[in-house]
């Protein structure tokens, strides 16, 4: 089924590409883009089969996100973020999945997971308050995942700190329309959402540690191998796949531009060995990033499928390579952008939009290299990785 989804994305590619500029202008995905994405089925790839999904290998999900991002960076980004949420719902109380997809299996779920809210315990659940930025694709979603700190009776974080992932229907939160004015990935519509005193039943919540450890999946009978993968592998996967796909799209546009371009010297670029050397090197780098990202999650999947355990060192290695793939791909894009000529800066040239989208993609917290590289170095030396440093591992 995954190959059918990718084939459908490629079939729709010219239309998706043609809508990218409109999406940027709107500051969100257009209704037409969303309709095309729904028809391709990309958001159902990690959705439970019981609710019209396909529960595919994570490699297939990453490749579909890359294919979409190559045509429109914003659409690919939304698919990479929103598309992983069905994977988590599949590990939670089955009542939640029934609520979300019981009547419409094409329902989308937004996020973000950062614990910007306080969830105060009450009888039967929690009362939530807070404001969260960066809710990608939120205009087209009917539910949202939010991160929250369990609070005390005074609205402050309780000690010890406990982080929940909570899920709310669209009627329980507000989207702030003027909160997304950015230089790249504008079409993602990653607006702020606000919650004021919403009640959340216990079954619509899950302890973040239970998702990270796999305890939630085991408790709720999600036995497929894909549900044994760490959250800190799956969530970054879609985002980094989008960044690599954006770089692939820029490379494709660069090659089309260079084919017949004549430099100011009067020399055709295709006859300039220095320009072609840089293009060849960038092409190899971007392709290597694709291969390494997919190889990492595939190796982890195979180990879990064989019943093996995953160590901290295994997880840090995956995260290290995932972060590095994003940075290497964007560095390669910088090389070809610098050699695309003066016309590349014109707003009607898609390369400049993809270049901006890729750089904004690096700003996501899962692409910050410092702590990830530090943790991996400790793990590979057989040393203990401090607990705070394992938060995103």
């Amino acid at each position: 089924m995954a190959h059918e989804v990718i084939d459908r994305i490629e079939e729709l590619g010219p239309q998706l590409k043609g809508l990218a500029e409109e999406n940027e202008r709107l500051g969100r995905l257009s209704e037409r883009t969303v309709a095309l994405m729904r028809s391709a089925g990309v958001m159902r790839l990690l959705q439970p089969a019981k609710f019209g999904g396909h529960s595919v290998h994570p490699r297939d999900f990453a490749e579909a996100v890359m294919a979409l991002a190559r045509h429109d960076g914003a659409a690919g980004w939304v698919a990479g973020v929103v598309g992983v949420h069905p994977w988590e719902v599949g590990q939670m109380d089955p009542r939640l999945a029934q609520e979300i997809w019981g009547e419409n299996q094409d329902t989308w779920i937004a996020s973000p997971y950062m614990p910007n809210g306080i969830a105060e315990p009450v009888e039967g659940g929690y009362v939530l308050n807070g404001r969260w930025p960066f809710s990608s694709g939120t205009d087209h979603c009917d539910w949202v995942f939010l991160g929250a700190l369990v609070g005390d009776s005074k609205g402050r974080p309780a000690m010890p700190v406990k982080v929940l992932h909570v899920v709310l229907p669209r009627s329980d939160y507000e989207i702030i329309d003027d909160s997304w004015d950015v230089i790249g990935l504008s079409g993602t519509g990653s607006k702020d959402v606000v919650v004021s005193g919403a009640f959340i039943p216990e079954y619509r919540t899950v302890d973040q540690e239970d998702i990270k450890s796999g305890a939630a999946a085991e408790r709720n009978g999600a036995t497929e191998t894909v549900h044994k993968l760490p959250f800190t592998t799956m969530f970054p996967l879609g985002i980094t796949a989008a960044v690599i796909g954006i770089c692939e799209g820029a490379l494709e546009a660069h090659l089309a531009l260079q084919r017949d371009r004549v430099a100011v010297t009067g020399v055709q670029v295709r006859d300039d060995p220095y320009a072609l050397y840089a293009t060849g090197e960038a092409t190899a780098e971007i392709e290597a990033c694709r291969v390494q990202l997919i190889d990492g999650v595939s190796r982890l999947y195979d180990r879990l499928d064989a019943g093996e355990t995953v160590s901290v060192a295994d997880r840090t290695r995956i995260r290290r390579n995932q972060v590095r793939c994003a940075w290497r791909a964007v560095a390669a894009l910088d090389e070809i952008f610098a050699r695309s000529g003066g016309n590349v800066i014109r707003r009607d040239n898609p390369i400049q939009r993809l270049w901006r989208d890729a750089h904004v993609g690096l700003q996501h917290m899962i692409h910050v290299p410092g702590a990830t590289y530090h943790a991996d170095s400790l793990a590979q030396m057989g040393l203990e990785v401090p607990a705070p440093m394992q938060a995103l591992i």
Side-chain angles (χ1 to χ4, degrees):
M1 182 63 204
H3 294 297
E4 293 177 16
V5 170
I6 294 172
D7 288 346
R8 178 63 174 159
I9 290 170
E10 296 303 343
E11 178 186 335
L12 298 172
Q15 294 183 62
L16 290 163
K17 193 173 297 184
L19 290 163
E21 187 175 348
E22 178 186 357
N23 294 335
E24 178 168 68
R25 187 171 62 253
L26 288 172
R28 59 174 174 79
L29 296 181
S30 66
E31 296 298 331
R32 179 57 181 160
T33 295
V34 170
L36 294 175
M37 292 169 67
R38 290 188 196 280
S39 74
V42 64
M43 296 300 195
R44 291 195 189 190
L45 287 173
L46 295 175
Q47 194 162 311
K50 181 180 178 180
F51 295 98
H54 310 299
S55 292
V56 301
H57 193 295
R59 170 195 60 229
D60 298 321
F61 171 66
E63 290 187 332
V65 170
M66 290 180 194
L68 188 56
R70 195 171 71 250
H71 299 301
D72 178 2
W77 182 273
V78 170
V81 174
V82 175
V84 82
H85 298 150
W87 169 83
E88 183 168 353
V89 171
Q91 300 174 61
M92 295 176 66
D93 189 304
R95 286 177 288 179
L96 177 61
Q98 180 62 42
E99 283 184 319
I100 294 172
W101 295 306
E103 295 184 3
N104 181 6
Q105 294 178 344
D106 273 323
T107 298
W108 291 6
I109 312 154
S111 52
Y113 291 104
M114 65 184 71
N116 273 29
I118 299 294
E120 182 181 343
V122 296
E123 184 177 356
Y126 299 87
V127 172
L128 181 68
N129 289 279
R131 178 167 179 156
W132 293 257
F134 308 121
S135 184
S136 296
T138 197
D139 287 299
H140 306 287
C141 297
D142 295 311
W143 291 76
V144 67
F145 265 106
L146 297 173
L149 298 173
V150 174
D152 59 20
S153 59
K154 297 181 180 179
R156 298 174 303 195
M159 295 296 166
V161 172
K162 181 178 180 180
V163 180
L164 299 177
H165 293 177
V166 302
V167 187
L168 291 78
R170 181 67 185 83
S171 58
D172 287 353
Y173 60 94
E174 177 188 2
I175 298 171
I176 308 302
D177 281 325
D178 62 354
S179 58
W180 188 240
D181 184 11
V182 290
I183 63 169
L185 291 175
S186 181
T188 64
S190 302
K191 302 172 182 177
D192 292 11
V193 298
V194 173
V195 178
S196 301
F199 172 72
I200 307 169
E202 179 76 32
Y203 71 87
R204 290 188 195 155
T205 74
V206 64
D207 190 316
Q208 179 173 269
E209 290 303 314
D210 285 354
I211 289 293
K212 288 179 63 177
S213 68
E218 185 175 353
R219 182 170 62 245
N220 291 301
T223 59
E224 299 93 337
T225 300
V226 69
H227 286 131
K228 298 176 183 178
L229 286 157
F231 174 82
T232 48
T233 295
M234 288 297 290
F235 184 63
L237 177 67
I239 296 171
T240 302
V243 169
I244 293 172
I246 290 167
C247 293
E248 290 178 333
L251 174 62
E252 185 178 272
H254 170 79
L255 291 170
L257 177 68
Q258 299 294 70
R259 186 177 295 111
D260 297 313
R261 188 168 77 86
V262 178
V264 68
T265 59
V267 176
Q268 285 195 307
V269 172
R270 63 189 180 195
D271 295 326
D272 181 343
Y274 306 107
L276 296 191
Y277 178 95
T279 299
E281 185 174 58
T283 302
E285 281 289 280
I286 294 170
E287 185 172 336
C289 294
R290 162 187 276 267
V291 171
Q292 189 175 36
L293 183 70
I294 292 173
D295 178 74
V297 74
S298 296
R299 285 175 180 267
L300 200 61
Y301 182 96
D302 290 345
R303 290 194 62 175
L304 290 166
D305 197 48
E308 300 175 15
T309 58
V310 173
S311 67
V312 172
D314 293 327
R315 299 203 315 267
T316 63
R317 186 182 301 111
I318 290 288
R319 282 283 283 127
R320 175 200 70 198
N321 290 345
Q322 166 257 315
V323 171
R324 191 63 194 147
C325 284
W327 283 87
R328 285 174 61 204
V330 177
L333 170 54
D334 284 344
E335 291 297 314
I336 57 176
F337 184 84
R339 292 167 174 81
S340 291
N343 285 321
V344 75
I345 65 174
R346 298 186 185 280
R347 289 197 177 272
D348 62 355
N349 190 316
I351 300 175
Q352 55 79 27
R353 183 183 64 253
L354 291 161
W355 181 77
R356 288 184 286 107
D357 288 349
H359 277 274
V360 169
L362 284 185
Q363 297 300 116
H364 194 286
M365 63 183 298
I366 62 99
H367 287 142
V368 176
T372 300
Y373 291 176
H374 184 172
D376 181 65
S377 295
L378 291 174
Q380 303 312 322
M381 289 189 287
L383 300 174
E384 182 179 356
V385 179
M389 201 174 286
Q390 293 189 38
L392 292 177
I393 300 301

